[in-house]
Amino acid sequence: MAGKVELRRAALRTALIAHAKARITADGLKNLRARDLAKDAGCALGAIYNVFGDLNDLVLAVNAETFHDLGASVAESLSDAPQTPTDQLIVMARAYHHFAAQNYHLWRALFDIERAPGEAAPEWYLAEMGRLFAYIDAPLSVLHPNHDAEQRTLLTKALFSSVHGIVLLGLDEASSGVPAPQIDEMISLVLSQLAS
Amino acid sequence: MAGKVELRRAALRTALIAHAKARITADGLKNLRARDLAKDAGCALGAIYNVFGDLNDLVLAVNAETFHDLGASVAESLSDAPQTPTDQLIVMARAYHHFAAQNYHLWRALFDIERAPGEAAPEWYLAEMGRLFAYIDAPLSVLHPNHDAEQRTLLTKALFSSVHGIVLLGLDEASSGVPAPQIDEMISLVLSQLAS
DNA sequence: ACCTAAAATTGAACAAAGTTCAAAAAGGAA
DNA sequence: TTCCTTTTTGAACTTTGTTCAATTTTAGGT
């Protein structure tokens, strides 16, 4: 039984990720507690640190799944085959909005996680980000065939950041707090102008 | 000497805000420590809680000043009297960007502060936000004189949120991390399109 | 001046919460 | 079974915000 330990650890890892996901979904990232997770998973407190370097690593694992699901949601939104490139951008942005609204705490954890100063984001984060950017880039290539790659990259980032900002502030009840239909309207407003 | 205690407390309050500001500027909000502040101000640990309800209240006081300074920076950017309404929007957005870049940790503290769930933002926050929105609204009224108030409010929020998103992700070294000139370029790109 | 009661200040103690590590348990080879 | 290695455990350590009993200061009355 060579891989016995590895199997047990892999199972614990999976369980811890699932429980952390549930805890974050219910109470948000800042209410995640190591002791709660140990109880949830029925393991010792220290066992968490046999599987993950620290709690942050565990949250990173949750975030990887969340980011993957987010990418899948955005990609799936295109399956309704909207006609124009602008429509495609709008549909994707709304999918982003709806994912963020439906998975608010998990989505916030993507950005609220503590990151070591000066350290780059993990590779999977950049990879998923690149995938999202590729989705945006495609319609932009149709709209602006004569832009060079650098121009399009800039426009892609600007578009994503704008939508992200609209969703971020729109979903923040405490400050602006905008009803969902108005968020969608703002998205349409910005994208229909920007993509022309 | 009726107001002796009040004077001492007011002085401590001012000192604590100043020291907290310095600490946040240097190390960021998440590295702010009650014991450090007590040492900085030469007061007892518990004295902080004679003046503020908790550390969060102290950070709120810092944020009030930061937000006020931010508003002043944006307002001052208009004193160069740019010609067109679009130019005014771009100048203000760049002022927002430059304030955020120059006061990164203080600016982040505006949004990273812990807020009680379901509780509205403090009145000064909404008031300063309203002031910022008014600055944006003015040029938009010139550009779109036939829009009603609701339309303009939506466009104002969309514009602000977009610029905020561009600055937020642009200044986040770990993820996108965009050089300052490119951030300004993205701002121009979005605003020149959106305001037309 | 002195005394005294109320008010304010202090900092040691308390209560989380993440992380570590010596000890115990489990695993595996001879 | 025995002995050594690996793994797991959870009590203990550390850090940090917050509290509160004890001390100091203040202010009024004599």
Side-chain angles (χ1 to χ4, degrees):
Chain A
M1 290 288 165
K4 209 168 170 184
V5 170
E6 280 78 7
L7 276 180
R8 192 151 18 106
R9 284 204 171 185
L12 180 58
R13 189 188 149 86
T14 305
L16 282 173
I17 292 175
H19 288 299
K21 209 175 202 169
R23 288 264 172 203
I24 294 173
T25 298
D27 307 322
L29 177 59
K30 66 178 173 302
N31 290 113
L32 187 67
R33 301 279 175 267
R35 283 166 178 78
D36 291 339
L37 282 175
K39 273 203 168 182
D40 289 348
C43 70
L45 183 56
I48 296 172
Y49 298 88
N50 297 334
V51 181
F52 294 99
D54 56 18
L55 271 198
N56 226 43
D57 282 357
L58 170 50
V59 176
L60 276 174
V62 172
N63 280 357
E65 291 190 5
T66 303
F67 213 156
H68 181 264
D69 294 348
L70 170 60
S73 275
V74 170
E76 202 195 0
S77 73
L78 289 176
S79 69
D80 294 346
Q83 281 76 14
T84 71
T86 300
D87 282 345
Q88 289 175 3
L89 289 173
I90 291 175
V91 162
M92 285 192 289
R94 288 189 175 174
Y96 186 82
H97 164 214
H98 294 142
F99 183 93
Q102 297 293 310
N103 306 275
Y104 184 66
H105 285 309
L106 287 175
W107 175 72
R108 287 295 308 226
L110 291 175
F111 308 100
D112 291 346
I113 192 172
E114 189 160 338
R115 278 170 300 174
E119 193 181 350
E123 39 72 35
W124 60 260
Y125 178 92
L126 298 173
E128 287 290 349
M129 201 56 141
R131 198 166 319 182
L132 270 187
F133 280 7
Y135 294 148
I136 302 173
D137 205 67
L140 287 181
S141 300
V142 178
L143 282 168
H144 303 288
N146 48 345
H147 278 191
D148 62 31
E150 196 184 341
Q151 279 178 302
R152 258 210 324 279
T153 299
L154 207 70
L155 186 54
T156 298
K157 280 188 184 179
L159 274 184
F160 176 82
S161 302
S162 296
V163 171
H164 177 73
I166 288 170
V167 173
L168 187 72
L169 296 187
L171 291 181
D172 186 18
E173 283 300 324
S175 49
S176 32
V178 178
Q182 284 195 23
I183 295 178
D184 281 341
E185 214 178 324
M186 288 193 276
I187 287 173
S188 297
L189 207 66
V190 169
L191 290 184
S192 58
Q193 286 294 319
L194 266 182
S196 65
Chain B
M1 291 285 166
K4 208 169 171 185
V5 170
E6 281 76 6
L7 276 181
R8 188 147 24 102
R9 285 205 170 186
L12 181 57
R13 189 188 148 86
T14 305
L16 282 173
I17 291 174
H19 288 298
K21 209 175 202 170
R23 288 265 171 201
I24 293 173
T25 298
D27 307 324
L29 177 58
K30 67 179 172 303
N31 290 113
L32 188 68
R33 303 279 175 266
R35 282 165 180 79
D36 291 339
L37 283 175
K39 274 204 165 180
D40 290 347
C43 70
L45 184 56
I48 296 173
Y49 298 89
N50 298 335
V51 181
F52 295 99
D54 56 18
L55 272 198
N56 226 44
D57 282 356
L58 170 50
V59 175
L60 276 174
V62 172
N63 280 356
E65 291 190 4
T66 303
F67 214 156
H68 181 264
D69 294 347
L70 170 59
S73 276
V74 169
E76 202 196 358
S77 73
L78 288 176
S79 69
D80 294 346
Q83 282 76 16
T84 70
T86 300
D87 282 344
Q88 290 175 1
L89 290 172
I90 291 176
V91 162
M92 285 192 289
R94 287 190 177 174
Y96 185 82
H97 165 214
H98 292 143
F99 183 93
Q102 297 293 310
N103 307 275
Y104 184 66
H105 286 310
L106 287 175
W107 174 72
R108 286 296 307 228
L110 291 176
F111 308 100
D112 291 346
I113 193 173
E114 190 158 338
R115 280 170 298 176
E119 193 181 349
E123 40 71 36
W124 59 260
Y125 178 92
L126 298 173
E128 286 289 350
M129 200 57 140
R131 196 166 321 181
L132 270 187
F133 280 6
Y135 294 148
I136 302 172
D137 205 68
L140 287 181
S141 300
V142 179
L143 282 167
H144 303 288
N146 48 345
H147 277 192
D148 61 31
E150 196 185 342
Q151 280 179 304
R152 257 210 324 278
T153 299
L154 207 70
L155 185 54
T156 298
K157 280 190 186 180
L159 274 185
F160 176 82
S161 301
S162 296
V163 171
H164 177 72
I166 288 171
V167 173
L168 187 71
L169 295 186
L171 291 181
D172 185 19
E173 283 300 325
S175 47
S176 33
V178 179
Q182 284 195 24
I183 296 179
D184 280 342
E185 215 178 323
M186 289 193 275
I187 288 172
S188 298
L189 207 65
V190 169
L191 290 184
S192 58
Q193 286 294 317
L194 265 183
S196 67

